[in-house]
Every structure is written in structure tokens, then in C-alpha cells.
Amino acid sequence: MKQEIHFVTGKGGVGKSVIAAALALKKSREGKKVLLVELGDQSFYKDFFDLPDIGFKPTEIRKNLSIALWTGEACLQEYARHLIKVDSLAKLFFENAVMRAFINVAPGLPELAILGKVTSGPRQHGPALPFDVLVVDAFATGHFIALLEAPKGMAQAVQFGPMGEQSRSIDACLRNQDLSKYHVVTLPEELPVKEATELLQRLKAEFSIEANLVVNKMVQTSISEAELKSTQNENSDLGKFAEYLEHQITHQKEMWDKTQEKATSMKAIPLFFETDAWTLTEKVGDSL
Ligand SMILES: Nc1ncnc2c1ncn2[C@@H]1O[C@H](COP(=O)(O)OP(=O)(O)O)[C@@H](O)[C@H]1O
Ligand SMILES: [Mg+2]
């Protein structure tokens, strides 16, 4: 099956989860069968969208849109069950305390298990994952690099046998730009922009990956610059607010220009004054 895999990363708090959900929603509305994947053991979307329990198995939350929550350990367990076939044997293997401890400390193993599952469709390896599009609400910057490095690291450590082979095929999928797409989210502010552009450079240098930069929460207003200026002359709270807004717009323009030199593809997402999670996600999706 021809699949598309999207990874969404960036500094904590910049809007990764909202952008990932918006992208997933947008693709599902185009008629594609989409799986939105959360990494870790806590679901953000459960509270955000007020959903019933989200777990390892995909839950359909809208037409064509499902959500799943994956940990490295759960991915590895499922994979072992798939390979070993005999459930009781797999259980014995994983319920062993020494084995569990090993899995969680073996360098890169949980990360490898997650990426093995994420890329299982195109590699036609492992349990079926019947979706056209996977959108991964991935780890923040540093941990994201560690995630991507895991297959290469494992392939170098274990050069021969099935483990080496799988690691190399996962790594190849991650670098295949027709298949895997990367979105680095930032705010139009100094520190997030610095972190985002450094990440873009690392992705390019270490993995030959050209990521898209998503500049989130751009203040947009239909009030003209002249209007903002004239309001500022009034010595009132509104005047102060107009001053703040104008400063904000000038600053984010500077940030945008600065970033433009370092990114090949950029998208601006407006700051929406929207309290309903689905409406916000739809609006963000429409701007993507
Ligand atoms: N474009 C936007 N306009 C308005 N609010 C946004 C926008 N993007 C994100 N938010 C809000 O910002 C907060 C942080 O977003 P979130 O996706 O949880 O960030 P992250 O996953 O990077 O930690 C959330 O409360 C979310 O609703
Ligand atoms: Mg998040």
C-alpha cells in the first residue's frame, strides 16, 4: 500500500499536537484513512477533544480519522507476539522482570520499536496497519533527533541478521522523502525559531531530510497600520493594546524574514481566538 508518514516536531508548547491533529483531520477530509499517533503513555488528545480512552489500538474518532497512543514497549510487545505467534511464549518473554528492564534501557530499542511500527506499512513487515496516512505527534526537538538516530545506531551495532536488516530498512524509510515528511513547528519568537532552525540544519546534515517549517500563532489582523498608529495616540488601554499589537506584528515579521534564509519550505499559521478544540483544529487545518 502506498502510505504517507508525517512527523510533527518542535520545541515543547509551540503547537505540535494541534498542528498534527489539524494535518490528520485535513487528510481525513480528503478521503484518506488517517491514523494520528501519539507517542508516550499519556494522551493529550483525550482531554483536548474530550474522547473516551485512547490506547495502543486505533480508535476511530471521526470518519476516516483514528487515534492511537504508542510506547516503545507496547510496540515491541506487539511485534514479538507477531513474530513468536504463541501468545503465552511472548507473555513469558515480556513478563520477565529482567527482560522488561533490558528493553527499557537498551539504547535506542524503544525508539526502534516505535519507528518499526510507524514504517511497518511501506516495509510490509509486522502486524497490519491499514491506513493511507500516519501523522505522528512526535517528541520535542532533542528527543526527536534521538528517535531518528535509533535505527542507524542499531544497524551499526548489529550489522548482521534480521535485527540489522530491519534497522536498515526502517532507516531507509525515514530518509525516503516521497514517503516520510517532516514538519518542524515554531512560534515567531527568538528561542523557538533558534531551536527550529538548528533542527532543520541537523535534519538536513545528518539525514538529508528537508523539513517544512510551520510558524504557528502568527498574529493577523485586518486593522491597517495607519489605524493601529492613530489608536496609539489615544492615551487609553486600547491605545496601549494597539501599540503592543503593532510591536508584535513587526517582531514576528523580523522572525519570519530571519527564518526564511534557513528554511526551504515555510507555512504561516494564524493565532486563532477559538476555544472549541475541533473548530480550532479545523481552522488550523484549513491554513496548512
Ligand atoms: N494556531 C493556534 N491558534 C490558537 N491557539 C493555538 C494554536 N496552535 C496551538 N494553540 C494552543 O496552544 C496550546 C499549545 O499547543 P499544543 O499543540 O498542545 O503544543 P505542543 O504539542 O507543542 O506542546 C494549546 O492550548 C493549543 O490549543
Ligand atoms: Mg503536545
Side-chain angles (χ1 to χ4, degrees):
M1 195 205 305
K2 177 128 175 47
Q3 218 175 35
E4 246 176 61
I5 303 168
H6 294 263
F7 293 93
V8 181
T9 181
K11 196 172 159 62
V14 295
K16 287 183 297 297
S17 299
V18 169
I19 301 288
L23 182 62
L25 181 63
K26 184 182 174 196
K27 296 269 175 190
S28 73
R29 285 177 147 185
E30 289 167 6
K32 292 178 178 136
K33 223 171 161 287
V34 181
L35 179 64
L36 176 58
V37 178
E38 289 189 81
L39 302 184
D41 45 24
Q42 296 269 1
S43 173
F44 164 81
Y45 298 120
K46 183 184 181 311
D47 293 338
F48 189 63
F49 291 126
D50 197 13
L51 301 170
D53 240 4
I54 299 300
F56 183 76
K57 275 205 186 124
T59 309
E60 186 163 273
I61 59 160
R62 277 212 167 192
K63 188 167 184 281
N64 289 331
L65 177 60
S66 300
I67 295 196
L69 175 65
W70 294 351
T71 61
E73 194 178 321
C75 291
L76 205 57
Q77 281 206 23
E78 187 205 37
Y79 183 56
R81 286 218 169 88
H82 173 80
L83 288 185
I84 303 173
K85 303 280 192 279
V86 185
D87 217 38
S88 56
L89 265 183
K91 252 205 177 113
L92 198 70
F93 184 71
F94 277 98
E95 279 167 13
N96 180 321
V98 177
M99 199 57 219
R100 288 187 76 142
F102 167 72
I103 288 163
N104 286 307
V105 299
L109 195 53
E111 285 81 5
L112 186 72
I114 288 169
L115 291 176
K117 179 142 180 77
V118 169
T119 59
S120 64
R123 294 187 303 115
Q124 299 189 327
H125 185 87
L129 195 60
F131 292 93
D132 306 312
V133 179
L134 254 64
V135 179
V136 185
D137 178 15
F139 302 128
T141 319
H143 194 183
F144 183 68
I145 288 281
L147 178 75
L148 290 190
E149 278 171 346
K152 197 171 134 201
M154 193 62 81
Q156 276 163 358
V158 193
Q159 303 215 346
F160 306 103
M163 187 82 157
E165 208 175 288
Q166 292 306 323
S167 302
R168 271 189 297 279
S169 89
I170 295 168
D171 186 54
C173 276
L174 297 178
R175 291 163 196 264
N176 178 342
Q177 302 245 21
D178 290 331
L179 176 68
S180 304
K181 323 266 180 197
Y182 298 82
H183 310 273
V184 175
V185 184
T186 184
L187 299 176
E189 291 164 17
E190 303 280 354
L191 271 181
V193 158
K194 185 166 179 287
E195 197 171 304
T197 48
E198 279 169 11
L199 178 60
L200 287 182
Q201 281 161 354
R202 279 194 77 176
L203 289 174
K204 177 95 180 113
E206 289 175 39
F207 303 93
S208 309
I209 288 169
E210 293 275 7
N212 305 312
L213 189 72
V214 181
V215 186
N216 192 22
K217 299 195 189 179
M218 295 279 281
V219 176
Q220 289 186 354
T221 173
S222 51
I223 308 168
S224 71
E225 209 173 309
E227 253 178 304
L228 278 176
K229 280 232 159 29
S230 71
T231 315
Q232 283 171 36
N233 295 331
E234 300 167 18
N235 193 13
S236 63
D237 278 355
L238 192 61
K240 287 265 172 275
F241 184 65
E243 200 179 320
Y244 167 81
L245 204 59
E246 202 206 342
H247 174 265
Q248 198 64 18
I249 291 168
T250 313
H251 182 68
Q252 78 183 16
K253 168 120 189 23
E254 271 170 36
M255 288 293 119
W256 178 270
D257 293 343
K258 199 167 154 183
T259 318
Q260 215 162 22
E261 299 159 15
K262 291 176 178 147
T264 36
S265 143
M266 273 169 78
K267 193 114 232 165
I269 308 294
L271 169 70
F272 291 107
F273 299 104
E274 187 55 65
T275 48
D276 178 68
W278 279 114
T279 317
L280 172 66
T281 308
E282 274 167 26
K283 285 186 174 175
V284 171
D286 290 342
S287 331
L288 277 170

